[in-house]
């Protein structure tokens, strides 16, 4: 058992932050939240826990199981990164300003080709997962490299370090260098099936790991490969029976890049002239479901938005990379997605941008939305701090199909959480907390100016993964 007494902050709906003061939050030994009781005096905590049959003393005989939070400390849900390229951890910040296809050819593909060596993969992925946990990313949807062995290593590292993750081998059987593409469609699908089996073997109950089908994008996939991945998705839906965390009524998760940049969209149209747009293309191959995560979506017509809403697909908004790599003004119309009821979460996109911080993603989402508001002459209102915090937590959980497990700090949810410390005496550059600051003000200062030095502890399923 773990118990916390202090401030709990989370988002239950878009744009609404709930701040619970003097709250007793109890985590059972299975990692689930068992009690959330606001307005409890500190002196009442031991007796209240004992009345519920909970042990308050640790093996040393003190109240080590109870964590009393200071005024400048509070709990928030762990961040959910809905779009991340794990192999790009070591190339972040390189190639900024290049158009997307040039950036892939000159920077990304040569770098990712190095993951043919599993030892290299373990070295980089160990740093990658630890780095994201340090920044409070308790859940990440990862693109691996195109190598099956390296993707297995990524799954192993996530499980070992205790991060909740969707992990997928990148499928790409054309339009990539000879040194970095699947030999043929058959090999790509065979390796995918092997990686699925590995993820299920590492975490049989699906407590932390899920496999996510990962066609990089249509440009690097033949129609036969897209069809084969769609067949795997269809089979997973038929076999889902709810017996483990791997089973889902809508089948296996799927992720790909979608309407990211004008250069990418033009190349896709040239390769698939028979389809009106990318919605029609991916839907034709059975790759658009309520479990599909579409990265970027910087451009979308009304008809595309209507169909995405009906299909239930989610959007991974990556504002940092959208404004630095790709070419042109790539601020996705997030307000339009939200108004249409399309699920939206935030992604760091790792190498595509200059920051791996979800706090930076929140801030850049505000900046990009303000630019969209000006561009639309006020029709698309900019995002607020409560809204971007929702996208980084519960919104991202919905996009990943995990909203019943994580995203808020409610009874029955698994305890994926961040303990924030805004003490001005700590090293860091966060705006100093004043005596007269309300809790809402302290929270706002953290979101807009804090960094990983203010993230004191991180928990996944109740397990301490950063201290």
């Amino acid at each position: 058992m773990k118990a916390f007494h202090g401030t709990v902050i989370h988002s239950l709906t878009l744009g609404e932050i709930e701040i619970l003061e003097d709250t007793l939050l109890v985590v059972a030994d299975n990692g689930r939240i068992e009690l959330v009781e606001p307005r409890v005096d500190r002196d009442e905590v031991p007796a209240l826990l004992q009345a519920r049959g909970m042990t308050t003393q640790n093996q040393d005989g003190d109240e080590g199981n109870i964590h009393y939070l200071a005024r400048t400390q509070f709990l928030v849900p762990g961040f959910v990164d809905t779009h991340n390229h794990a192999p790009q951890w070591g190339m972040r910040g390189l190639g900024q300003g290049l158009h997307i296809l040039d950036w892939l050819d000159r920077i990304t593909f040569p770098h990712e080709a190095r993951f043919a060596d599993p030892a290299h993969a373990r070295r980089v992925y160990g740093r990658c997962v630890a780095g994201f946990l340090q920044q409070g990313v308790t859940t990440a949807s990862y693109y691996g490299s195109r190598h099956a062995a390296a993707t297995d290593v990524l799954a192993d590292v996530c499980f070992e370090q205790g991060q909740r993750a969707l992990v997928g081998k990148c499928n790409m059987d054309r339009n990539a260098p000879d040194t970095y593409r699947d030999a043929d469609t058959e090999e790509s699908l065979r390796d995918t099936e092997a990686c699925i089996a590995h993820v299920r073997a590492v975490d049989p109950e699906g407590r932390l790991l899920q496999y996510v089908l990962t066609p990089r994008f249509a440009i690097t996939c033949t129609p036969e490969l897209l069809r084969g991945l769609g067949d795997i998705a269809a089979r997973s839906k038929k076999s889902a029976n709810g017996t483990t965390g791997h089973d889902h009524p809508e089948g296996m998760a799927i992720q790909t890049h979608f309407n990211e940049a004008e250069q990418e969209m033009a190349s896709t149209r040239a390769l698939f002239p028979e389809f009106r747009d990318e919605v029609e293309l991916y839907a034709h191959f059975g790759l658009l479901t309520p479990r599909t995560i579409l990265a970027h979506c910087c451009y979308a017509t009304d008809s595309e938005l209507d169909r995405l809403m009906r299909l239930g697909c989610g959007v991974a908004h990556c504002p940092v990379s959208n404004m630095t790599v790709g070419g042109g003004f790539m601020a996705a119309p997030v307000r339009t997605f939200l108004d249409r009821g399309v699920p939206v979460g935030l992604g760091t996109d790792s190498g595509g941008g200059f920051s791996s911080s979800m706090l930076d993603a929140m801030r850049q989402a505000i900046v990009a939305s303000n630019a969209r508001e000006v561009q639309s002459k006020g029709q698309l209102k900019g995002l607020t701090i409560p809204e971007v915090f929702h996208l980084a937590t519960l919104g991202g959980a919905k996009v990943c199909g995990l909203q019943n497990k994580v995203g808020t700090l409610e009874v029955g949810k698994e305890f994926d959480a961040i303990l924030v410390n805004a003490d001005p005496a700590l090293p860091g550059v966060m705006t100093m907390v004043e005596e007269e600051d309300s809790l809402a003000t302290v929270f706002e200062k953290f979101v807009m100016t804090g960094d990983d030095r203010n993230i004191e502890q991180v928990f996944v399923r109740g397990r301490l993964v950063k201290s």
Side-chain angles (χ1 to χ4, degrees):
M1 183 208 74
K2 293 183 181 69
F4 300 84
H5 180 263
T7 300
V8 173
I9 302 175
H10 60 179
S11 172
L12 298 178
T13 61
L14 180 68
E16 179 186 0
I17 298 293
E18 183 175 54
I19 299 178
L20 305 173
E21 300 183 49
D22 297 320
T23 296
L24 177 60
L25 186 150
V26 177
V27 183
D29 58 6
N30 64 2
R32 292 189 180 274
I33 300 172
E34 190 169 299
L35 175 71
V36 179
E37 187 71 33
R39 297 180 296 281
V40 175
D41 290 339
R42 175 173 174 152
D43 294 341
E44 298 174 352
V45 170
L48 196 154
L49 291 175
Q50 290 169 5
R52 297 176 65 91
M54 299 177 182
T55 302
T56 60
Q57 293 184 337
N58 63 17
Q59 60 186 6
D60 297 323
D62 59 28
E63 291 185 351
N65 290 342
I66 308 175
H67 306 271
Y68 295 101
L69 306 187
R71 171 179 170 269
T72 56
Q73 293 177 303
F74 52 88
L75 289 169
V76 297
F79 297 140
V80 179
D81 188 343
T82 60
H83 181 67
N84 193 310
H85 290 270
Q88 296 175 14
W89 177 260
M91 53 165 279
R92 289 167 298 148
L94 300 181
Q96 305 299 290
L98 290 173
H99 283 253
I100 186 67
L101 299 185
D102 302 317
W103 177 76
L104 288 171
D105 287 338
R106 291 165 54 181
I107 306 292
T108 307
F109 289 161
H111 184 89
E112 291 189 11
R114 297 175 63 191
F115 285 77
D117 178 6
H120 176 76
R122 177 160 282 278
R123 182 177 67 86
V124 175
Y125 289 157
R127 295 286 296 274
C128 171
V129 174
F132 281 109
L133 286 173
Q134 179 179 331
Q135 297 176 95
V137 175
T138 54
T139 299
S141 186
Y142 285 122
Y143 286 59
S145 67
R146 73 103 182 150
H147 311 98
T151 303
D152 291 348
V153 169
L154 176 58
D156 294 344
V157 170
C158 291
F159 192 74
E160 291 162 7
Q161 296 196 25
Q163 187 181 46
R164 193 183 302 274
L166 285 69
V167 176
K169 171 204 137 38
C170 220
N171 296 102
M172 39 195 299
D173 64 347
R174 67 168 171 177
N175 290 330
D178 291 342
T179 55
Y180 192 58
R181 67 166 176 256
D182 297 321
D184 51 40
T185 299
E186 290 71 24
E187 179 192 75
S188 189
L189 294 173
R190 185 171 59 251
D191 284 352
T192 298
E193 296 278 16
C195 288
I196 293 171
H198 181 83
V199 166
R200 290 177 178 253
V202 170
D203 187 6
E205 297 183 11
R207 292 180 177 180
L208 289 178
L209 301 182
Q210 294 185 32
Y211 192 83
V212 52
L213 295 170
T214 308
R216 188 175 200 119
F217 56 177
I219 292 174
T220 56
C221 296
T222 60
E224 293 74 24
L225 178 53
L226 294 174
R227 185 174 297 108
L229 294 171
D231 289 343
I232 295 174
R235 292 198 302 272
S236 73
K237 183 174 181 179
K238 292 177 182 177
S239 65
N241 55 23
T243 57
T244 75
H246 295 288
D247 300 310
H248 192 283
E250 298 294 344
M252 193 174 293
I254 304 165
Q255 62 183 358
T256 194
H257 297 80
F258 187 91
N259 285 7
E260 180 177 2
E262 291 180 348
Q263 187 186 36
E264 170 265 322
M265 293 165 64
S267 294
T268 303
R269 285 193 297 269
L271 289 168
F272 295 91
E274 66 272 31
F275 297 111
R276 179 176 50 185
D277 51 40
E278 292 190 21
V279 174
E280 188 174 275
L281 189 164
Y282 288 109
H284 173 81
F285 293 107
L287 294 171
L288 296 185
T289 77
R291 298 227 59 203
T292 300
I293 305 169
L294 299 174
H296 304 296
C297 298
C298 297
Y299 306 90
T301 64
D302 287 340
S303 63
E304 285 179 304
L305 286 172
D306 288 341
R307 294 167 71 196
L308 290 179
M309 180 186 66
R310 291 196 301 271
L311 290 164
C313 304
V315 170
H317 177 42
C318 306
V320 175
S321 62
N322 289 163
M323 304 289 279
T324 52
V325 168
F329 180 69
M330 293 166 54
V334 175
R335 178 63 67 192
T336 301
F337 298 147
L338 297 174
D339 288 346
R340 295 288 188 93
V342 176
V344 181
L346 291 180
T348 63
D349 201 14
S350 198
F354 53 82
S355 173
S356 58
S357 165
M358 285 295 287
L359 289 169
D360 281 347
M362 283 188 259
R363 297 161 192 163
Q364 190 70 8
I366 292 174
V367 172
S369 70
N370 289 341
R372 270 284 183 182
E373 180 173 345
V374 173
Q375 187 187 50
S376 68
K377 300 188 182 336
Q379 292 184 9
L380 300 177
K381 296 300 181 184
L383 298 172
T384 65
I385 289 176
E387 287 175 328
V388 295
F389 179 69
H390 179 89
L391 300 186
T393 54
L394 183 57
K398 289 179 178 177
V399 169
C400 292
L402 296 170
Q403 67 272 26
N404 294 328
K405 287 188 174 184
V406 298
T408 59
L409 299 177
E410 298 178 274
V411 172
K413 293 282 186 79
E414 297 183 8
F415 188 64
D416 287 17
I418 299 167
L419 175 57
V420 176
N421 193 341
D423 187 341
L426 290 174
V429 295
M430 177 179 158
T431 304
M432 62 188 296
V433 174
E434 305 283 7
E435 188 64 33
E436 66 272 14
D437 285 347
S438 66
L439 290 171
T441 298
V442 176
F443 172 75
E444 182 176 356
K445 286 181 175 181
F446 166 68
V447 171
M448 293 307 297
T449 67
D451 59 28
D452 59 289
R453 288 169 291 186
N454 301 109
I455 295 176
E456 188 169 7
Q457 294 182 331
V458 179
F459 300 86
V460 178
R461 296 192 77 248
R463 172 188 173 187
L464 183 64
V465 293
K466 175 203 171 176
S467 176

Coordinates of all heavy atoms in Angstrom, one line a residue, residues 111-176:
H111 N 20.5 7.1 -39.8 CA 20.6 6.9 -38.4 C 19.9 5.7 -37.9 O 20.4 4.9 -37.2 CB 20.1 8.2 -37.7 CG 20.2 8.1 -36.2 ND1 21.3 8.6 -35.5 CD2 19.4 7.6 -35.2 CE1 21.2 8.4 -34.2 NE2 20.0 7.8 -34.0
E112 N 18.6 5.5 -38.4 CA 17.9 4.4 -38.0 C 18.4 3.0 -38.5 O 18.2 2.0 -37.9 CB 16.4 4.5 -38.4 CG 15.7 5.6 -37.7 CD 14.2 5.6 -37.9 OE1 13.7 4.6 -38.5 OE2 13.5 6.6 -37.6
A113 N 19.2 3.1 -39.6 CA 19.8 1.9 -40.1 C 20.7 1.2 -39.2 O 21.0 0.0 -39.2 CB 20.4 2.2 -41.5
R114 N 21.3 2.0 -38.3 CA 22.3 1.5 -37.3 C 21.6 0.5 -36.3 O 22.4 -0.2 -35.6 CB 22.9 2.7 -36.5 CG 23.7 3.6 -37.4 CD 24.2 4.8 -36.6 NE 25.1 4.4 -35.6 CZ 25.5 5.3 -34.6 NH1 25.0 6.5 -34.6 NH2 26.4 4.8 -33.7
F115 N 20.3 0.5 -36.2 CA 19.6 -0.4 -35.3 C 19.6 -1.8 -35.8 O 18.9 -2.6 -35.1 CB 18.3 0.2 -35.0 CG 18.3 1.4 -34.0 CD1 18.7 2.6 -34.5 CD2 18.1 1.3 -32.7 CE1 18.8 3.7 -33.7 CE2 18.2 2.4 -31.8 CZ 18.6 3.6 -32.3
A116 N 20.3 -2.1 -36.9 CA 20.4 -3.5 -37.3 C 21.3 -4.2 -36.2 O 21.2 -5.4 -36.1 CB 21.1 -3.5 -38.6
D117 N 22.0 -3.4 -35.4 CA 22.8 -4.0 -34.3 C 22.0 -4.0 -33.1 O 21.8 -2.9 -32.5 CB 24.1 -3.2 -34.2 CG 25.0 -3.7 -33.1 OD1 24.7 -4.7 -32.4 OD2 26.0 -3.0 -32.8
P118 N 21.6 -5.1 -32.5 CA 20.8 -5.1 -31.3 C 21.6 -4.5 -30.1 O 20.9 -3.9 -29.2 CB 20.5 -6.6 -31.0 CG 20.6 -7.2 -32.4 CD 21.7 -6.5 -33.1
A119 N 22.9 -4.5 -30.1 CA 23.6 -3.9 -29.0 C 23.5 -2.4 -29.0 O 23.4 -1.7 -28.0 CB 25.1 -4.3 -29.0
H120 N 23.5 -1.9 -30.3 CA 23.3 -0.4 -30.4 C 21.9 -0.1 -30.0 O 21.7 1.0 -29.3 CB 23.5 0.0 -31.9 CG 23.2 1.4 -32.2 ND1 24.1 2.4 -31.8 CD2 22.2 2.0 -32.8 CE1 23.6 3.6 -32.2 NE2 22.4 3.3 -32.8
A121 N 21.0 -0.9 -30.3 CA 19.6 -0.6 -29.9 C 19.4 -0.6 -28.4 O 18.8 0.3 -27.9 CB 18.6 -1.7 -30.5
R122 N 20.0 -1.6 -27.7 CA 19.9 -1.6 -26.3 C 20.5 -0.3 -25.6 O 20.0 0.2 -24.7 CB 20.5 -2.9 -25.7 CG 20.5 -2.9 -24.2 CD 20.6 -4.3 -23.6 NE 19.4 -5.1 -23.7 CZ 18.4 -5.0 -22.8 NH1 18.5 -4.1 -21.8 NH2 17.3 -5.7 -23.0
R123 N 21.7 0.1 -26.2 CA 22.3 1.3 -25.6 C 21.5 2.5 -25.8 O 21.3 3.3 -24.8 CB 23.7 1.5 -26.3 CG 24.5 2.7 -25.8 CD 25.8 2.7 -26.4 NE 25.7 3.1 -27.9 CZ 25.7 4.3 -28.3 NH1 25.7 5.3 -27.5 NH2 25.6 4.5 -29.6
V124 N 20.9 2.7 -27.0 CA 20.1 3.9 -27.2 C 18.8 3.8 -26.5 O 18.3 4.8 -25.9 CB 19.9 4.1 -28.7 CG1 19.0 5.3 -29.0 CG2 21.3 4.4 -29.4
Y125 N 18.1 2.7 -26.6 CA 16.8 2.6 -26.0 C 16.8 2.7 -24.5 O 15.9 3.2 -23.9 CB 16.1 1.2 -26.5 CG 15.7 1.2 -27.9 CD1 15.6 0.0 -28.6 CD2 15.5 2.4 -28.6 CE1 15.2 0.0 -29.9 CE2 15.1 2.4 -30.0 CZ 15.0 1.1 -30.6 OH 14.6 1.1 -31.9
G126 N 17.9 2.2 -23.9 CA 18.0 2.3 -22.5 C 18.0 3.8 -22.1 O 17.3 4.2 -21.1
R127 N 18.7 4.6 -22.8 CA 18.8 6.1 -22.5 C 17.5 6.7 -22.9 O 17.0 7.6 -22.2 CB 19.9 6.7 -23.3 CG 21.3 6.2 -23.0 CD 21.8 6.8 -21.6 NE 21.9 8.3 -21.7 CZ 22.9 8.9 -22.2 NH1 24.0 8.2 -22.6 NH2 23.0 10.3 -22.2
C128 N 16.8 6.3 -24.0 CA 15.6 6.8 -24.4 C 14.5 6.7 -23.4 O 13.8 7.6 -23.0 CB 15.2 6.2 -25.8 SG 13.5 6.6 -26.3
V129 N 14.2 5.4 -23.0 CA 13.1 5.2 -22.0 C 13.4 5.8 -20.7 O 12.5 6.4 -20.1 CB 13.0 3.6 -21.9 CG1 11.9 3.3 -20.8 CG2 12.5 3.0 -23.2
A130 N 14.6 5.8 -20.2 CA 15.0 6.4 -19.0 C 14.8 8.0 -19.1 O 14.3 8.6 -18.1 CB 16.4 6.1 -18.6
G131 N 15.1 8.5 -20.2 CA 14.9 9.9 -20.4 C 13.5 10.4 -20.4 O 13.1 11.4 -19.9
F132 N 12.6 9.6 -21.0 CA 11.2 9.9 -21.0 C 10.6 9.7 -19.6 O 9.8 10.5 -19.2 CB 10.4 9.1 -22.1 CG 10.6 9.7 -23.5 CD1 11.4 9.1 -24.4 CD2 10.1 10.9 -23.8 CE1 11.6 9.6 -25.7 CE2 10.3 11.5 -25.0 CZ 11.0 10.8 -26.0
L133 N 11.0 8.7 -18.9 CA 10.5 8.5 -17.6 C 10.9 9.7 -16.7 O 10.2 10.2 -15.8 CB 11.0 7.2 -17.0 CG 10.3 5.9 -17.5 CD1 11.0 4.7 -17.0 CD2 8.8 5.9 -17.2
Q134 N 12.1 10.1 -16.9 CA 12.6 11.3 -16.1 C 11.8 12.5 -16.3 O 11.6 13.3 -15.4 CB 14.1 11.6 -16.5 CG 14.7 12.8 -15.8 CD 16.1 13.0 -16.2 OE1 16.8 12.1 -16.6 NE2 16.6 14.3 -16.2
Q135 N 11.2 12.6 -17.5 CA 10.3 13.8 -17.8 C 8.8 13.5 -17.6 O 8.0 14.3 -18.1 CB 10.6 14.2 -19.2 CG 12.0 14.7 -19.5 CD 12.3 15.0 -20.9 OE1 12.3 16.2 -21.3 NE2 12.7 14.0 -21.7
G136 N 8.5 12.4 -16.9 CA 7.2 12.2 -16.5 C 6.3 11.5 -17.6 O 5.1 11.4 -17.4
V137 N 6.9 10.9 -18.7 CA 6.2 10.2 -19.7 C 6.0 8.8 -19.2 O 6.9 8.0 -19.3 CB 6.9 10.3 -21.1 CG1 6.1 9.4 -22.1 CG2 6.9 11.7 -21.5
T138 N 4.8 8.5 -18.7 CA 4.6 7.2 -18.1 C 4.0 6.2 -19.2 O 4.1 5.0 -19.0 CB 3.6 7.2 -17.0 OG1 2.4 7.9 -17.4 CG2 4.2 8.0 -15.8
T139 N 3.5 6.8 -20.3 CA 3.0 6.0 -21.4 C 3.5 6.6 -22.7 O 3.5 7.8 -22.9 CB 1.5 5.9 -21.5 OG1 0.9 5.4 -20.3 CG2 1.0 5.2 -22.7
A140 N 4.0 5.7 -23.6 CA 4.5 6.2 -24.9 C 4.1 5.2 -26.0 O 4.1 4.0 -25.8 CB 6.0 6.4 -24.9
S141 N 3.7 5.8 -27.1 CA 3.4 5.0 -28.3 C 4.7 5.1 -29.2 O 4.9 6.1 -29.8 CB 2.2 5.5 -29.0 OG 1.9 4.6 -30.1
Y142 N 5.5 4.0 -29.3 CA 6.8 4.1 -29.9 C 6.7 3.4 -31.3 O 6.2 2.3 -31.5 CB 7.8 3.3 -29.1 CG 8.3 3.9 -27.8 CD1 8.1 3.3 -26.6 CD2 9.0 5.1 -27.9 CE1 8.6 3.9 -25.4 CE2 9.5 5.7 -26.7 CZ 9.3 5.1 -25.5 OH 9.8 5.6 -24.4
Y143 N 7.3 4.1 -32.3 CA 7.8 3.5 -33.5 C 9.2 3.0 -33.3 O 10.1 3.7 -32.8 CB 7.9 4.6 -34.6 CG 6.6 5.1 -35.2 CD1 5.6 5.7 -34.4 CD2 6.4 5.0 -36.6 CE1 4.5 6.2 -35.0 CE2 5.2 5.5 -37.1 CZ 4.2 6.1 -36.3 OH 3.1 6.5 -36.9
G144 N 9.4 1.7 -33.5 CA 10.7 1.2 -33.5 C 11.4 1.4 -34.8 O 10.9 2.1 -35.7
S145 N 12.6 0.8 -35.1 CA 13.2 0.8 -36.4 C 12.5 -0.3 -37.2 O 11.5 -0.9 -36.8 CB 14.7 0.6 -36.3 OG 14.9 -0.8 -35.8
R146 N 13.0 -0.6 -38.4 CA 12.4 -1.6 -39.2 C 12.9 -3.0 -38.8 O 12.5 -4.0 -39.4 CB 12.6 -1.3 -40.7 CG 14.0 -1.5 -41.2 CD 14.1 -2.8 -42.0 NE 15.4 -3.2 -42.5 CZ 15.8 -4.4 -42.7 NH1 15.0 -5.4 -42.4 NH2 17.0 -4.7 -43.2
H147 N 13.8 -3.1 -37.9 CA 14.4 -4.3 -37.5 C 13.7 -5.0 -36.4 O 13.4 -4.4 -35.3 CB 15.9 -4.0 -37.0 CG 16.6 -3.2 -37.9 ND1 16.8 -1.8 -37.7 CD2 17.3 -3.4 -39.1 CE1 17.5 -1.3 -38.6 NE2 17.9 -2.2 -39.5
A148 N 13.3 -6.3 -36.6 CA 12.6 -7.0 -35.6 C 13.4 -7.2 -34.3 O 12.8 -7.0 -33.2 CB 12.2 -8.4 -36.2
A149 N 14.6 -7.5 -34.4 CA 15.4 -7.8 -33.2 C 15.5 -6.5 -32.3 O 15.4 -6.6 -31.1 CB 16.8 -8.3 -33.6
A150 N 15.7 -5.4 -33.0 CA 15.8 -4.1 -32.2 C 14.5 -3.8 -31.6 O 14.4 -3.2 -30.5 CB 16.3 -3.0 -33.1
T151 N 13.4 -4.1 -32.3 CA 12.1 -3.8 -31.7 C 11.8 -4.7 -30.5 O 11.2 -4.2 -29.5 CB 11.0 -4.0 -32.8 OG1 11.2 -3.2 -34.0 CG2 9.6 -3.7 -32.3
D152 N 12.3 -5.9 -30.6 CA 12.2 -6.8 -29.4 C 12.9 -6.1 -28.2 O 12.5 -6.2 -27.1 CB 12.7 -8.1 -29.7 CG 11.8 -8.9 -30.6 OD1 10.7 -8.5 -30.9 OD2 12.3 -10.0 -31.1
V153 N 14.1 -5.6 -28.5 CA 14.9 -4.9 -27.5 C 14.1 -3.8 -26.9 O 14.1 -3.6 -25.6 CB 16.3 -4.5 -28.0 CG1 17.0 -3.6 -27.0 CG2 17.1 -5.7 -28.4
L154 N 13.5 -3.0 -27.7 CA 12.7 -1.8 -27.2 C 11.6 -2.3 -26.2 O 11.4 -1.7 -25.2 CB 12.1 -1.1 -28.4 CG 11.2 0.1 -28.0 CD1 11.9 1.1 -27.2 CD2 10.6 0.8 -29.3
A155 N 10.9 -3.3 -26.6 CA 9.9 -3.9 -25.7 C 10.5 -4.4 -24.4 O 9.9 -4.1 -23.3 CB 9.1 -5.0 -26.4
D156 N 11.6 -5.0 -24.5 CA 12.3 -5.5 -23.3 C 12.7 -4.3 -22.4 O 12.5 -4.4 -21.1 CB 13.6 -6.3 -23.6 CG 13.3 -7.6 -24.4 OD1 12.1 -8.0 -24.4 OD2 14.3 -8.1 -25.0
V157 N 13.2 -3.3 -22.9 CA 13.7 -2.1 -22.1 C 12.5 -1.4 -21.5 O 12.6 -1.1 -20.3 CB 14.5 -1.2 -23.0 CG1 14.8 0.1 -22.3 CG2 15.8 -1.8 -23.4
C158 N 11.4 -1.2 -22.2 CA 10.3 -0.6 -21.6 C 9.8 -1.4 -20.4 O 9.4 -0.9 -19.4 CB 9.1 -0.5 -22.7 SG 9.5 0.7 -24.0
F159 N 9.7 -2.7 -20.6 CA 9.2 -3.6 -19.5 C 10.2 -3.6 -18.3 O 9.7 -3.5 -17.2 CB 9.0 -5.0 -20.0 CG 8.3 -5.9 -19.1 CD1 6.9 -5.8 -19.0 CD2 8.9 -6.9 -18.4 CE1 6.2 -6.6 -18.1 CE2 8.2 -7.7 -17.5 CZ 6.9 -7.6 -17.4
E160 N 11.5 -3.6 -18.6 CA 12.4 -3.6 -17.5 C 12.4 -2.4 -16.7 O 12.5 -2.4 -15.5 CB 13.8 -3.9 -18.1 CG 14.1 -5.2 -18.7 CD 15.3 -5.3 -19.6 OE1 16.0 -4.3 -19.7 OE2 15.5 -6.3 -20.3
Q161 N 12.3 -1.2 -17.4 CA 12.3 0.1 -16.7 C 10.9 0.5 -16.2 O 10.8 1.4 -15.4 CB 12.8 1.2 -17.6 CG 14.3 0.9 -18.0 CD 14.9 2.2 -18.5 OE1 14.5 3.3 -18.3 NE2 16.0 2.0 -19.3
G162 N 9.9 -0.3 -16.5 CA 8.5 -0.1 -16.0 C 7.7 1.0 -16.7 O 6.8 1.5 -16.1
Q163 N 8.0 1.3 -17.9 CA 7.2 2.2 -18.7 C 6.1 1.5 -19.4 O 6.2 0.4 -20.0 CB 8.0 3.0 -19.7 CG 7.3 4.1 -20.4 CD 8.1 4.8 -21.4 OE1 8.8 4.2 -22.2 NE2 8.1 6.2 -21.4
R164 N 4.9 2.1 -19.4 CA 3.7 1.6 -20.1 C 4.0 2.0 -21.6 O 4.3 3.2 -21.9 CB 2.4 2.2 -19.6 CG 1.2 1.6 -20.2 CD 0.0 2.3 -19.6 NE -0.1 2.4 -18.2 CZ -0.6 1.4 -17.4 NH1 -1.1 0.3 -18.0 NH2 -0.6 1.6 -16.1
A165 N 3.9 1.1 -22.5 CA 4.3 1.4 -23.9 C 3.5 0.6 -24.9 O 3.1 -0.6 -24.7 CB 5.8 1.2 -24.1
L166 N 3.2 1.3 -26.0 CA 2.8 0.6 -27.3 C 4.0 0.6 -28.2 O 4.7 1.6 -28.4 CB 1.7 1.4 -28.0 CG 0.3 1.3 -27.4 CD1 0.2 2.1 -26.1 CD2 -0.7 2.0 -28.4
V167 N 4.4 -0.6 -28.6 CA 5.7 -0.8 -29.3 C 5.4 -1.4 -30.7 O 4.7 -2.4 -30.8 CB 6.6 -1.7 -28.5 CG1 7.9 -1.9 -29.3 CG2 7.0 -1.0 -27.2
G168 N 6.0 -0.9 -31.7 CA 5.7 -1.4 -33.1 C 7.0 -1.4 -33.9 O 7.7 -0.4 -34.0
K169 N 7.2 -2.5 -34.7 CA 8.2 -2.5 -35.7 C 7.8 -1.7 -36.9 O 6.7 -1.8 -37.3 CB 8.5 -4.0 -36.2 CG 9.4 -4.1 -37.4 CD 9.1 -5.3 -38.2 CE 9.1 -5.1 -39.7 NZ 10.0 -4.2 -40.3
C170 N 8.7 -0.8 -37.4 CA 8.3 0.1 -38.5 C 8.3 -0.8 -39.8 O 9.3 -1.4 -40.1 CB 9.4 1.2 -38.6 SG 8.7 2.8 -39.0
N171 N 7.1 -0.8 -40.4 CA 7.0 -1.5 -41.7 C 7.3 -0.6 -42.9 O 6.7 0.4 -43.0 CB 5.6 -2.1 -41.8 CG 5.3 -3.1 -40.8 OD1 4.6 -2.8 -39.8 ND2 5.8 -4.3 -40.9
M172 N 8.2 -1.0 -43.7 CA 8.6 -0.2 -44.9 C 9.3 -1.1 -45.9 O 10.5 -1.5 -45.7 CB 9.5 1.0 -44.5 CG 10.5 0.6 -43.4 SD 11.2 2.1 -42.5 CE 12.0 2.9 -43.9
D173 N 8.6 -1.4 -47.0 CA 9.2 -2.3 -48.0 C 9.5 -1.6 -49.3 O 9.7 -2.3 -50.3 CB 8.3 -3.5 -48.2 CG 6.9 -3.2 -48.8 OD1 6.6 -2.0 -48.8 OD2 6.2 -4.2 -49.2
R174 N 9.5 -0.3 -49.4 CA 9.9 0.4 -50.6 C 10.2 1.9 -50.3 O 9.9 2.4 -49.2 CB 8.8 0.3 -51.7 CG 7.5 1.1 -51.3 CD 6.6 1.3 -52.5 NE 5.3 1.8 -52.1 CZ 4.4 2.1 -53.0 NH1 4.6 1.9 -54.3 NH2 3.2 2.6 -52.6
N175 N 10.8 2.6 -51.3 CA 11.1 4.0 -51.2 C 11.9 4.3 -49.9 O 11.6 5.3 -49.2 CB 9.8 4.8 -51.2 CG 9.1 4.8 -52.6 OD1 9.8 4.7 -53.6 ND2 7.8 4.9 -52.6
A176 N 12.9 3.5 -49.7 CA 13.9 3.7 -48.6 C 15.2 3.1 -49.1 O 15.2 2.3 -50.0 CB 13.4 3.1 -47.3

